[in-house]
Amino acid sequence: MAEYKVKVTTGTMKHSGTIDHIYIILIGTDGQSERTELNNVGIDFITGKTGAYKVKTSSSLGKLLLVKVEKDPFLIFPEDEWYCSKIEVTTPEEEEILFPCYRWLSRGEFVELRGGKGVKFMEEEHPMLLNHRKTELRFKKGSYQWKIINDGLPHISHFKDVFELFAEVRFSLSKSEEYEHTQRMITLELAMKGLTEPGKKWKQIEDIKNIFQFKKTKMLEYVSEHWKEDDFFGYQFLNGTNPNVIKRCSKLPPNFPVTDEMVKPFLETGTTLEKEMEEGNIFLCDQKIMDGIPTRQKDGNPLYVAAGLCLFYKNPEGKLLPIAIQLYQQPSEQNPIFLPSDLETDWLLAKLFFRSSDLIQHQTLYHLLHTHYLAEVFTIATFRCLPTIHPLYKLLIPHFRYTLHINILVRKLLLSPGGALSESSLGVEGLMELMRRDLSQLTYSSLCLPENIKERGLESIPNFYYRDDALKLWNYLNEYATAMVDYYYTSDCDVMKDIELQEWVNEIFTHGFLENKRSGFPSCFNTIEEVAKFITMVIFRVSVQHAAVNNGQYDYNSWIPNGSLLLCKPPPAIKGQSSMQTVLETLPDVEDSVKIMSAARILSEKYTDVVLLGEFPEEHFDEPIPKEIIKVLQADLSYMKEEIAARNSELEMPYTYLNPDVVENSVTI
């Protein structure tokens, strides 16, 4: 007789356990075991617990290949899903093998698990395993399908509702409960304050603070007190929710006729605009991508949006200050260049319109398209093209947790009728056009942070904490990805022969970037270095970059005078005729302001079911070297937490959004 020792671990999530009957069959090169029920005295498969069992066979099964797990009902009790984390088997030859599972099993369902060592297609040695690999991919390609939601946009998953998703990609029960509770509480709080009345306009700026009675943050309070200040306006383009658009300016665009005489009062004494551009102290933000997109109407009246240009000056103290704003692309008498010396409310309105367009770009392009939609593309391609035993599946799968679920919810929350983005000045049709324009000109280098920073000329601008923290995280992730790829691919030839890897990147190129060869996105890999860089980009985008554009939304984007998704009056065409009443009339009404705030709060709320960057509660790797590589990443992130804490302790406005303590491993909210 041969005896196999089996340890079965149940997940830690709410209701992970089961009272149903669990059976396993061990399958080896020399045969398979009998179907054996795992049953000890007392209750088995308790949430968070590991049970030990024995499976006996008449002789050794040879090299253990698969573990088949089956689940049958217990008496007449209702459905009782079970979350199996992993199964560990010790063979009669004392070999210990990890079989990762990390999925829910329903009644009548079975799953065949492979050992934890990562194996590429060309390394398969047994026909049974090769067949298992092909069968798994056929099933997943049928289960995860592409859908074209809109011409010119990345393709999405075919799932229409979260209830259609497989259990292993849905929110946990606790996450769903918290998410729904947050929505209910926000609605209740605002109703109690009488802030849901349709059509009611703000009477004074101070009244807007009533929205935040139930949830305040230090940064939100700072924004509400300092939103009028020019240095805070400039600071937001470096460290707010959209640090993606500003760039160094060495020559003014021909359609932005700012003269030296205009801006001389705002520069250091004795210098000129030309000289400051030469010295790298002038920066530009150009919203030309929004030019010509029609706005929607609300209650029969048009809404308004700018497609402006803003010139910034880095003064000797290192502060970034706006010195000229033009709100439309073509200069004219009706499209003046606004200056800090203009009437206070004229300058406030110019900044409000520019920030509001920046907010639309942030939410639609840099948040929704560049993180959520791309994360969905990466997720579907991974499920379809990489079997669970592939080393890059093991490397990537922690970074796609909950992504399909949250994207279905986000499309409903933001883009459905009544959603915060669909109610913006551009409306859904305008936003789709904005995304189409952006995707058509999106480049691979713009998604690779070191190249992005260099292309925008932002290597040395001071007080750019997003850049400082994000570059460190990019480098840590690149070292991590490079070490993992180097371990599993010994030569460039290995990369080119891996047909699953090549299909994976080609699906991303096809369905994410619509085969746009001008973009520079790869459609195949030729070298180990190319794979490592692409993996770095993927992990960075769905973790670090999402945290940068998501986590500060409630802080920065809830205070409507600091920027709004919709504006109700046109910007001043003639200077000197505005007032604070003009500002109030330009802002959205109370009901729309509440919608914007509510969306920002939901999307940046802290939930308890969180897996942070560098945490890997799911043990996919069984080899010592990948485990050591993970430990190195975790040590780097731990040291970075201390560095950020030390820096932030000396800042008036701490930059916290890329502290590894708050960066999630995946797009989950």
Side-chain angles (χ1 to χ4, degrees):
M1 294 287 288
E3 183 177 272
Y4 290 80
K5 298 174 184 176
V6 178
K7 291 196 291 185
V8 180
T9 301
T10 296
T12 58
M13 291 179 290
K14 194 173 183 179
H15 303 316
S16 291
T18 184
I19 60 172
D20 281 354
H21 299 286
I22 304 297
Y23 300 87
I24 68 166
I25 300 172
L26 306 180
I27 303 170
T29 54
D30 297 338
Q32 65 182 49
S33 70
E34 296 289 329
R35 184 174 188 256
T36 304
E37 182 174 6
L38 303 180
N39 187 16
N40 289 329
V41 177
I43 301 176
D44 296 283
F45 315 114
I46 299 171
T47 298
K49 300 295 183 180
T50 299
Y53 307 90
K54 294 178 181 178
V55 176
K56 295 182 179 181
T57 60
S58 57
S59 61
S60 173
L61 302 175
K63 182 177 176 59
L64 195 57
L65 303 178
L66 300 168
V67 173
K68 185 175 183 179
V69 185
E70 299 177 342
K71 181 173 179 289
D72 285 352
F74 177 72
L75 301 176
I76 58 171
F77 287 94
E79 174 62 77
D80 185 26
E81 284 189 326
W82 174 50
Y83 189 87
C84 176
S85 288
K86 61 184 178 180
I87 294 177
E88 299 160 281
V89 180
T90 303
T91 69
E93 296 79 22
E94 296 301 316
E95 181 185 9
E96 296 180 1
I97 307 173
L98 169 70
F99 292 85
C101 183
Y102 303 109
R103 57 167 292 175
W104 294 92
L105 272 77
S106 302
R107 288 180 176 173
E109 190 177 3
F110 73 88
V111 61
E112 290 182 342
L113 307 177
R114 287 195 58 172
K117 180 182 177 182
V119 180
K120 303 188 292 296
F121 176 83
M122 57 279 196
E123 296 169 335
E124 292 290 11
E125 298 176 347
H126 197 281
M128 184 187 300
L129 294 181
L130 188 59
N131 182 63
H132 180 271
R133 191 180 196 109
K134 292 178 179 178
T135 301
E136 178 189 347
L137 287 181
R138 275 198 303 271
F139 173 77
K140 292 205 296 187
K141 283 178 179 175
S143 302
Y144 295 92
Q145 298 175 29
W146 296 105
K147 176 184 176 182
I148 299 175
I149 189 174
N150 208 301
D151 288 340
L153 296 184
H155 303 164
I156 65 171
S157 76
H158 73 284
F159 300 106
K160 296 178 181 178
D161 201 291
V162 294
F163 302 109
E164 298 176 6
L165 292 169
F166 293 97
E168 58 263 30
V169 297
R170 289 202 305 263
F171 281 179
S172 66
L173 182 60
S174 61
K175 172 90 172 184
S176 292
E177 289 174 346
E178 285 185 61
Y179 183 87
E180 292 164 6
H181 175 74
T182 299
Q183 289 182 301
R184 288 195 301 269
M185 287 305 298
I186 292 172
T187 302
L188 179 61
E189 290 167 4
L190 296 170
M192 289 171 62
K193 292 294 296 181
L195 294 170
T196 55
E197 182 183 337
K200 184 179 178 182
K201 294 292 288 185
W202 297 109
K203 294 181 179 178
Q204 55 185 5
I205 295 292
E206 284 296 306
D207 292 344
I208 300 175
K209 292 183 178 180
N210 290 331
I211 298 178
F212 311 106
Q213 293 274 330
F214 292 93
K215 182 176 174 64
K216 297 179 181 179
T217 68
K218 288 183 179 179
M219 194 63 219
L220 174 57
E221 291 183 326
Y222 187 94
V223 172
S224 68
E225 297 298 328
H226 297 270
W227 64 282
K228 296 180 181 180
E229 298 169 11
D230 286 354
D231 59 340
F232 179 63
F233 181 86
Y235 174 90
Q236 292 181 79
F237 285 86
L238 297 176
N239 302 306
T241 54
N242 193 16
N244 310 283
V245 289
I246 196 169
K247 62 182 180 181
R248 180 171 289 172
C249 178
S250 57
K251 184 180 179 181
L252 287 175
N255 60 327
F256 195 20
V258 177
T259 66
D260 196 58
E261 203 62 34
M262 285 180 183
V263 298
K264 189 175 181 179
F266 320 118
L267 305 178
E268 186 73 2
T269 303
T271 190
T272 65
L273 181 59
E274 187 69 30
K275 183 179 178 182
E276 292 298 334
M277 283 195 284
E278 290 175 0
E279 294 184 358
N281 293 327
I282 301 298
F283 298 84
L284 176 71
C285 184
D286 189 346
Q287 298 171 340
K288 59 186 175 184
I289 193 172
M290 301 181 72
D291 188 37
I293 300 179
T295 60
R296 72 177 183 92
Q297 290 195 342
K298 178 178 171 60
D299 301 328
N301 299 310
L303 297 175
Y304 298 89
V305 69
L309 302 102
C310 182
L311 205 63
F312 296 86
Y313 169 56
K314 178 179 73 68
N315 71 12
E317 290 77 42
K319 292 183 177 180
L320 189 68
L321 303 172
I323 57 173
I325 297 175
Q326 178 180 295
L327 292 176
Y328 295 104
Q329 288 291 304
Q330 297 307 316
S332 69
E333 288 186 7
Q334 288 73 42
N335 182 28
I337 295 175
F338 293 95
L339 305 170
S341 54
D342 289 338
L343 182 68
E344 180 188 12
T345 47
D346 282 355
W347 184 235
L348 273 180
L349 283 164
K351 291 191 292 182
L352 170 63
F353 270 88
F354 197 85
R355 262 282 298 157
S356 296
S357 291
D358 182 68
L359 180 54
I360 290 175
Q361 281 186 259
H362 156 259
Q363 196 65 273
T364 309
L365 303 182
Y366 298 101
H367 184 204
L368 186 62
L369 179 60
H370 291 193
T371 63
H372 279 264
Y373 277 21
L374 291 187
E376 187 163 354
V377 170
F378 303 148
T379 301
I380 301 169
T382 301
F383 280 131
R384 287 172 54 85
C385 301
L386 301 179
T388 55
I389 199 64
H390 196 289
L392 294 187
Y393 179 93
K394 293 173 177 291
L395 180 63
L396 290 167
I397 196 61
H399 302 286
F400 304 141
R401 180 177 185 257
Y402 295 162
T403 296
L404 298 184
H405 190 133
I406 191 57
N407 275 11
I408 291 173
L409 295 181
V410 163
R411 282 189 278 270
K412 290 184 176 181
L413 176 68
L414 296 181
L415 293 172
S416 62
L421 276 179
S422 64
E423 295 288 302
S424 71
S425 287
L426 290 184
V428 173
E429 290 185 12
L431 297 176
M432 295 300 152
E433 173 60 21
L434 180 60
M435 286 195 281
R436 277 192 292 270
R437 292 182 181 186
D438 182 77
L439 186 64
S440 70
Q441 61 191 41
L442 188 65
T443 63
Y444 184 37
S445 62
S446 71
L447 299 187
C448 298
L449 187 69
E451 295 165 58
N452 177 299
I453 296 297
K454 185 176 181 180
E455 287 171 359
R456 293 196 282 144
L458 301 179
E459 301 98 315
S460 59
I461 187 170
N463 307 317
F464 193 6
Y465 308 118
Y466 160 78
R467 173 203 58 207
D468 299 341
D469 294 351
L471 278 177
K472 281 184 182 178
L473 289 167
W474 174 278
N475 291 333
Y476 291 151
L477 290 173
N478 185 243
E479 291 168 4
Y480 168 68
T482 299
M484 286 290 196
V485 173
D486 281 346
Y487 176 73
Y488 285 105
Y489 293 87
T490 58
S491 69
D492 293 341
C493 185
D494 280 353
V495 168
M496 290 185 279
K497 288 193 298 185
D498 189 343
I499 58 175
E500 292 166 343
L501 172 66
Q502 300 294 347
E503 185 181 13
W504 176 72
V505 71
N506 187 258
E507 282 223 353
I508 292 172
F509 177 69
T510 300
H511 297 281
F513 305 105
L514 309 184
E515 300 180 314
N516 180 8
K517 294 180 180 178
R518 298 188 308 275
S519 67
F521 284 97
S523 59
C524 64
F525 293 130
N526 296 306
T527 68
I528 292 173
E529 185 179 359
E530 289 173 355
V531 177
K533 179 181 176 180
F534 196 85
I535 295 291
T536 303
M537 182 275 294
V538 169
I539 297 176
F540 178 88
R541 192 125 299 267
V542 303
S543 58
V544 180
Q545 188 61 21
H546 180 256
V549 298
N550 179 78
N551 291 357
Q553 289 188 91
Y554 187 68
D555 289 341
Y556 282 96
N557 301 342
S558 295
W559 180 249
I560 303 301
N562 190 46
S564 169
L565 291 172
L566 71 153
L567 297 173
C568 302
K569 295 286 183 182
I574 301 173
K575 293 184 181 183
Q577 297 183 0
S578 68
S579 66
M580 192 52 73
Q581 184 60 34
T582 314
V583 175
L584 288 167
E585 290 173 356
T586 302
L587 294 175
D589 63 27
V590 176
E591 183 183 32
D592 285 329
S593 300
V594 163
K595 284 182 183 177
I596 294 169
M597 181 282 297
S598 299
R601 179 171 166 185
I602 290 169
L603 293 173
S604 52
E605 190 75 8
K606 302 293 187 295
Y607 297 91
T608 58
D609 182 7
V610 167
V611 177
L612 298 176
L613 184 64
E615 294 180 350
F616 300 97
E618 297 183 353
E619 191 178 354
H620 290 281
F621 290 103
D622 198 22
E623 306 99 302
I625 290 180
K627 290 181 179 180
E628 286 302 314
I629 294 170
I630 289 172
K631 288 181 181 178
V632 171
L633 173 64
Q634 291 170 334
D636 288 338
L637 296 175
S638 178
Y639 179 67
M640 186 174 174
K641 293 175 191 176
E642 297 176 7
E643 286 185 314
I644 290 177
R647 178 200 67 200
N648 284 346
S649 67
E650 300 178 359
L651 297 179
E652 180 185 11
M653 288 181 286
Y655 184 75
T656 61
Y657 306 121
L658 292 185
N659 189 320
D661 275 338
V662 297
V663 177
E664 287 198 58
N665 235 347
S666 59
V667 177
T668 70
I669 192 62

